[in-house]
C-alpha cells in the first residue's frame, strides 16, 4: 500500500482522533550517520520526548511510513530513506492546582524564575500526576501561564532533571514563551551549574561531544552515537579535594542529561549520579546527583533588557562541601 503524509493524516482522522488538539506530522530523510539503525531506535534518538514503546506503537498503528510504505519497528534504515511520522494528539491528564510552596527568584507579568527543589518532577507524567512543579505553578499563577506546550506543560519552556536543583524559567504568556524558546534555540541564555564530580581536575576545560539516546540502554544518553545532537559544556574548577572536584559548568547547548553525560565521558561522573556514576555512592544517604542550576540569564521578552537570577546552593550541597573541606 503506497501512502504519503497526507494519507497518514487522513487515517488518524478516520479513527476519530481529530476531535482532540495537538496532532502534528513530521517528515525527514535518514542521514548517513543513521544508516543501519532500526527504525524504532532511530526515531527514539530524534524524538527524545517520546518513549521507545510509544514510538513502536505509532509504527504498529501505521502512523509511520518509510518511502511511501508501511514500516516495521525492526526495519533497518538506509541513508536517504524518507520517513513520515504522524503524532496523534496527546490525551491530557487531569492536572490539578496544588498549594505547594515555591521558592521564587524572580517574577513579573511575563516570567517567573523558580528555584526547583531536589526530588521535584517538573511536569506530570506516568507515575507523577501530582506534586510536580506544574501543579504548584497552576496554584500560584492561576490562568497566567503560556499554553504552547499544552495542558501537561503550561508555562514550561525548558526543564531540569528530578534530582537536579536550581533555577528554571517559566513563561506566563505565549509571546514570552516564543521569545525565550528562540533564545534557547540560539544558545544565548546563560546557564551556569555547580557540580561535584569524581576524581581530581586541576584545569578548566570544554567537552564538545554530540549526545544521543544510548543504543542499548534506552533511558540513558551517550556521547558520539548515531543521530546524536551537537553538545558543548564548559567547566571551570572551583575547588579540588582528595578524590573529588567542585566545578562550575556552563552550558553552550542544552541536551538531555548533558552535564551528567559529558562529565562521565571524560571519566569524572557527577557525585551521586545513580545512572551515570559508580554503583556505590561514597556518601550514604545522598539521593541523586550533586548538580545545581545556580545562574540563569536571558534577554527579557518584554523590556529587551538582560536579567539574571541566582539560586543559592541547597543545604545538602553546602553540607557536602563542608565535609569534603574537612577531609
Amino acid at each position: 500500500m503506497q501512502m504519503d503524509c497526507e494519507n497518514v493524516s487522513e487515517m488518524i482522522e478516520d479513527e476519530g482522533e481529530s476531535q482532540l488538539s495537538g496532532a502534528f506530522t513530521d517528515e525527514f530523510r535518514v542521514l548517513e550517520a543513521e544508516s543501519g539503525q532500526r527504525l524504532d531506535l532511530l526515531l527514539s534518538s530524534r524524538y527524545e520526548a517520546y518513549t521507545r514503546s510509544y514510538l513502536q506503537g505509532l509504527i504498529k498503528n501505521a502512523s509511520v511510513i518509510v518511502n511511501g510504505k508501511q514500516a516495521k519497528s525492526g526495519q533497518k534504515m538506509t541513508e536517504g530513506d524518507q520517513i513520515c511520522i504522524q503524532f496523534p494528539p496527546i490525551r491530557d491528564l487531569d492536572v490539578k492546582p496544588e498549594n505547594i510552596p515555591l521558592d521564587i527568584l524572580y517574577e513579573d507579568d511575563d516570567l517567573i524564575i523558580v528555584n526547583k527543589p531536589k526530588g521535584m518532577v517538573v511536569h506530570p507524567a506516568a507515575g507523577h500526576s501530582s506534586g510536580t512543579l506544574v501543579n504548584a505553578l497552576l496554584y500560584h499563577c492561576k490562568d497566567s501561564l503560556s499554553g504552547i506546550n499544552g495542558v501537561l506543560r503550561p508555562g514550561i519552556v525548558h526543564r531540569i532533571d528530578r534530582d537536579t536543583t536550581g533555577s528554571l524559567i517559566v513563561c506566563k504568556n505565549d509571546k514570552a514563551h516564543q521569545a525565550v524558546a528562540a533564545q534557547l534555540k540560539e544558545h544565548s541564555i546563560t546557564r551556569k551549574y555547580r557540580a561535584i564530580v569524581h576524581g581530581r581536575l586541576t584545569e578548566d576545560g570544554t567537552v564538545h561531544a554530540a549526545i544521543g539516546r544510548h543504543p542499548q540502554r534506552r533511558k540513558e544518553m551517550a556521547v558520539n552515537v548515531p543521530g546524536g545532537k551537537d553538545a558543548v559544556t564548559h567547566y571551570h574548577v572551583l575547588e579540588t579535594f582528595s578524590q573529588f572536584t567542585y566545578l562550575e559548568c556552563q552550558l553552550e547547548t542544552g541536551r538531555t542529561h548533558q552535564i551528567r553525560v559529558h562529565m562521565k565521558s571524560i571519566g569524572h561522573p557527577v557525585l551521586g549520579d545513580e545512572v551515570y556514576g559508580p554503583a556505590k555512592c561514597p556518601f550514604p544517604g545522598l539521593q541523586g546527583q550533586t548538580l545545581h542550576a545556580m545562574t540563569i540569564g536571558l534577554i527579557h521578552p518584554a523590556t529587551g533588557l538582560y536579567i539574571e537570577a541566582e539560586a543559592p546552593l541547597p543545604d545538602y550541597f553546602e553540607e557536602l562541601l563542608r565535609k569534603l573541606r574537612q577531609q
Side-chain angles (χ1 to χ4, degrees), residues 285-296:
L286 181 61
Q287 297 181 337
Q289 62 272 4
T290 50
L291 186 61
H292 176 70
M294 176 167 274
T295 305
I296 197 156

Side-chain angles (χ1 to χ4, degrees), residues 238-290:
L238 297 174
E239 289 185 70
T240 300
F241 308 107
S242 59
Q243 300 179 58
F244 303 96
T245 306
Y246 179 33
L247 298 176
E248 177 180 85
C249 297
Q250 182 161 352
L251 294 179
E252 189 170 314
T253 55
R255 309 306 178 197
T256 301
H257 301 173
Q258 178 169 317
I259 294 174
R260 299 164 62 191
V261 173
H262 270 175
M263 296 316 298
K264 176 190 177 180
S265 74
I266 62 170
H268 297 277
V270 177
L271 174 62
D273 194 328
E274 298 171 352
V275 176
Y276 301 105
K280 186 176 182 180
C281 179
F283 294 91
L286 181 61
Q287 297 181 337
Q289 62 272 4
T290 50

Side-chain angles (χ1 to χ4, degrees), residues 295-317:
T295 305
I296 197 156
L298 71 157
I299 301 299
H300 193 283
T303 67
L305 300 176
Y306 180 79
I307 62 170
E308 191 171 274
E310 185 170 294
L313 285 175
D315 292 341
Y316 90 92
F317 206 122

Side-chain angles (χ1 to χ4, degrees), residues 28-37 42 46 77-83 226-228:
F28 65 90
R29 289 191 179 275
V30 175
L31 304 175
E32 180 182 2
E34 298 169 322
S35 183
Q37 288 192 56
L42 186 153
R46 279 186 173 253
M77 296 294 97
T78 302
E79 180 184 1
D81 282 346
Q82 184 178 39
I83 297 177

